[in-house]
Amino acid sequence: LATGRKGPEGLRVNGQKFMVVRAQGEGSGCTVYGKKPGGGLCATATETAIVLGTYEDGKSNGVGACNIAVKTLGEYLRAKGV
């Protein structure tokens, strides 16, 4: 997450491989979006933590809710210096 660039091998979380579809920002403001068959993830970094959320395709509050929740929590933690 630190570089804000997509990795060529993708991203592994809990044994599942995600293709990085977008990465923005750098350092503690970096956010990464990943996709896998049937779902995806959004992850953002703070000074001391990584906030990660996953979603399943076809759910009523899928990708949009996941992205908003992760980014909002990340912004809150950064504002608190965490």
Side-chain angles (χ1 to χ4, degrees):
L1 286 175
T3 64
R5 290 187 219 120
K6 295 190 230 180
E9 294 85 28
L11 179 66
R12 288 199 181 270
V13 175
N14 200 27
Q16 297 182 354
K17 185 175 179 180
F18 293 82
M19 176 180 67
V20 176
V21 294
R22 184 171 50 144
Q24 61 188 48
E26 290 189 15
S28 65
C30 178
T31 302
V32 174
Y33 304 90
K35 187 79 176 124
K36 70 174 183 82
L41 67 78
C42 177
T44 192
T46 71
E47 289 294 325
T48 60
I50 296 174
V51 180
L52 178 84
T54 62
Y55 64 90
E56 295 179 27
D57 289 338
K59 299 287 182 175
S60 61
N61 293 329
V63 62
C66 177
N67 293 348
I68 290 170
V70 168
K71 288 174 20 180
T72 301
L73 181 55
E75 289 169 1
Y76 172 80
L77 293 173
R78 280 190 287 277
K80 296 294 183 182
V82 176

